[in-house]
Amino acid sequence: MTQVTERGTSLPAAPRTGVRRRSPAAAACVVGGAVAAGLGLGFLAVLVIVLWISSPYPDSGPGGALHLAAGLWLLAHGTELVRYETLSGVPAPVGVTPLLLIALPVLLVRRAARLGGASEEDEGVLPAGAVFSAVLCGYLAVGALATVYAAGGPMPADPISAAWHIPLVAVLAAAGGVWEARGRPLGPLPSWLPGGVRRAVARPRYALALRAGAGGALVLLGGGALLVGASLAWHGAEAQASFLSLTGVWSGRFAVLLLALTLIPNAMVWGAAYALGPGFAVGADVTATPLGFAGAPGLPRFPLLAALPPEGAGTPLTWAVAGVPVVAGLAVGWFAVRRAREVSYGETALTAALGALVCGVAMTGLAAASAGPLGSRRLAEFGPVWWQTGAAAFAWTLALAVPVAVAVHAWRYRPAKGPAAPAGLGVDDPVDDGWHDSGVREVRWAAMRRVAGTLIPDISGAERVAVPELVPELVPEPVPEPVPERGPEVVAEPVPESVAEAPAGRGHRPVTVVSGLGLDLRPILISAKAAEAPALAPPVVGARVLARRRPPV
């Protein structure tokens, strides 16, 4: 006791297991990022080495093949390579990134970040920001080493291009992996953003706009793939001739086939840009559009380039590609309609406009990623112009999505129509459906009153018109119950003829009360004891109500 209360003497602090385990967890995340980069490099290195071994005429040794593999890994991130060994002696940049090749580093980094933050419930797990930073450190360290190593090969990387392309791909992929590891939360935005921005983004229109824009972009890419496939089938002989003329050995043809497969997503984006109108460049000052194609005589022989449109002015067949952005605009308008009746037409139109904006931004990014140079001079420009493609996608989808969304909203939530009137009757004529005049209503009402007691009022009234007798099966059998003393019988007064013969007004029908059924329509007496409801719980005596204290901030 003296040791506890004496000044200057303190108890030993409890061990903080969470802090101890954070260092190994951070190291594991760094190693995971480095392993992700190493797996990508290893995959490309194995592929290049296999092609180098199978080639009958290799240009260099295994060191050159490994340098080339490092260059391809950097190219997969969008880094621009430089080829110095050219016929003209002028360095030729190679900046067309195969979009399918980008999937390799993206999937590996995303997997490393997801595994680093997967066990959130364990003790001492790093927060999302720490996992993100640790994975990036490991991946970028290997990326820097690969850039330095590729500098000694036949196609070194541009250092400035590598300095921002590799971090960009790694940041986006790692952020997606950490977000997936946390269960894909769609929680509130960071507190440092303005409150108006956070409240506006939380509205449902933005989720619908993202879905509508993504749907429009997918339709454009699908239309581009359809155009490329149809053009390749139309120019099948030229594509086969260019494929066979590039090399005569199976290893070379396999390499050309792999390159063509990795460039198929690029061709889809180019086809979408062609359908939108701006087209794509196939060299300096040469553009292929639906309105015409002047031709490019200096193009290299490649199977995908054989699918270019024919030279000359546009034809109705090339103009028909405008149906692709039309379908994309219809898709954006359809997905922008919210399934809620209280949404106004202005809100629906605004959601469709935001979806068109999302579609335009998506196509802008895809066009920028799929284009680049393939050399110098005539080959300095290849692919669609990013801002023209994005602007065209936004204009097409905006012009079609807004009216389509408003029309779909009006059609879904149109007012319901009532049953049509029988033929031969006017608007003011009463409808004789037989049910109101057959006495069935009075029979059912009496049965309901007998069960419910006084909850249903007495609607018995004077007779108006005599009706034929009912079918005996419709009359309920009397139930033996104690009947209270009857009061004086009420005799209904006859209705004046002026009232009985008055014409029915607009929307009214004559009400008929059936007589001779022997129905007891008088109210049922309920005793006072039966009306009293039993106590559901005994009263509480001596209870104190404590004020709820506000928790300390």
Side-chain angles (χ1 to χ4, degrees):
M1 191 68 183
T2 305
Q3 295 179 357
V4 176
T5 58
E6 185 181 355
R7 285 188 183 180
T9 306
S10 59
L11 292 175
R16 300 176 64 184
T17 56
V19 177
R20 278 198 224 167
R21 295 186 181 182
R22 282 195 175 186
S23 180
C29 291
V30 173
V31 172
V35 169
L39 288 176
L41 279 169
F43 174 79
L44 293 176
V46 170
L47 182 62
V48 172
I49 288 295
V50 168
L51 294 177
W52 174 78
I53 293 174
S54 59
S55 176
Y57 310 106
D59 293 338
S60 59
L66 293 177
H67 283 87
L68 181 60
L72 290 178
W73 184 80
L74 296 173
L75 181 65
H77 295 77
T79 304
E80 188 175 290
L81 305 181
V82 181
R83 186 164 53 93
Y84 289 98
E85 298 178 359
T86 58
L87 297 178
S88 61
V90 179
V94 179
V96 177
T97 302
L99 294 182
L100 191 60
L101 202 60
I102 298 180
L104 177 65
V106 168
L107 292 178
L108 291 174
V109 178
R110 173 178 164 272
R111 178 180 178 273
R114 180 170 54 85
L115 293 179
S119 56
E120 185 182 4
E121 300 177 356
D122 295 344
E123 198 176 331
V125 173
L126 293 175
V131 173
F132 174 77
S133 303
V135 171
L136 279 184
C137 288
Y139 193 86
L140 294 181
V142 178
L145 295 177
T147 304
V148 174
Y149 181 76
M155 297 180 65
D158 184 9
I160 299 178
S161 178
W164 70 274
H165 276 100
I166 299 177
L168 177 62
V169 175
V171 164
L172 295 178
V178 172
W179 178 62
E180 183 180 0
R182 294 298 186 266
R184 299 185 181 91
L186 297 176
L189 295 177
S191 58
W192 50 267
L193 288 175
V197 175
R198 285 180 289 163
R199 288 190 298 269
V201 174
R203 295 178 180 176
R205 75 161 73 105
Y206 295 98
L208 286 176
L210 288 175
R211 183 185 68 173
L218 289 177
V219 171
L220 288 175
L221 293 178
L226 181 62
L227 294 179
V228 172
S231 183
L232 280 176
W234 186 267
H235 303 89
E238 292 85 347
Q240 182 180 5
S242 63
F243 177 76
L244 297 177
S245 64
L246 288 175
T247 178
V249 296
W250 68 269
S251 59
R253 292 177 178 176
F254 182 69
V256 172
L257 180 61
L258 287 180
L259 180 59
L261 290 177
T262 56
L263 287 172
I264 285 180
N266 299 61
M268 294 169 58
V269 178
W270 292 19
Y274 181 82
L276 287 170
F280 54 90
V282 286
D285 302 329
V286 179
T287 305
T289 65
L291 300 179
F293 176 49
L299 291 178
R301 298 181 65 86
F302 194 72
L304 290 180
L305 294 179
L308 291 174
E311 299 180 8
T315 61
L317 184 61
T318 60
W319 301 338
V321 299
V324 174
V326 169
V327 177
L330 297 179
V332 172
W334 177 267
F335 288 115
V337 179
R338 183 181 171 192
R339 295 184 178 275
R341 187 177 294 272
E342 66 274 7
V343 179
S344 62
Y345 290 102
E347 180 75 11
T348 303
L350 180 59
T351 304
L354 292 176
L357 180 61
V358 171
C359 181
V361 171
M363 293 306 300
T364 299
L366 290 174
S370 64
L374 279 180
S376 58
R377 298 177 183 176
R378 291 184 177 179
L379 302 180
E381 298 178 5
F382 257 82
V385 182
W386 60 271
W387 65 269
Q388 294 180 0
T389 304
F394 173 69
W396 274 101
T397 52
L398 180 65
L400 295 170
V402 173
V404 168
V406 173
V408 171
H409 179 78
W411 177 75
R412 283 183 179 177
Y413 303 111
R414 63 191 184 276
K417 296 181 180 180
L425 293 179
V427 178
D428 298 332
D429 296 337
V431 179
D432 185 10
D433 52 3
W435 186 81
H436 292 82
D437 301 333
S438 60
V440 179
R441 184 178 61 166
E442 283 75 12
V443 174
R444 294 183 179 179
W445 192 266
M448 291 171 60
R449 284 194 67 257
R450 186 171 297 280
V451 175
T454 58
L455 296 179
I456 299 179
D458 185 8
I459 62 170
S460 60
E463 299 178 0
R464 290 190 179 181
V465 183
V467 297
E469 295 183 358
L470 297 175
V471 183
E473 285 77 9
L474 296 178
V475 181
E477 298 180 358
V479 181
E481 291 183 358
V483 181
E485 297 181 0
R486 297 177 177 239
E489 297 183 359
V490 179
V491 180
E493 297 180 0
V495 181
E497 297 180 359
S498 59
V499 178
E501 298 178 358
R506 181 182 180 89
H508 297 279
R509 55 171 61 90
V511 178
T512 304
V513 178
V514 181
S515 61
L517 297 179
L519 302 178
D520 185 10
L521 302 179
R522 290 175 300 173
I524 301 175
L525 300 178
I526 301 177
S527 61
K529 293 183 178 181
E532 296 180 358
L536 299 179
V540 180
V541 181
R544 296 180 59 190
V545 179
L546 300 178
R548 183 178 181 183
R549 295 183 179 180
R550 186 176 183 182
V553 182

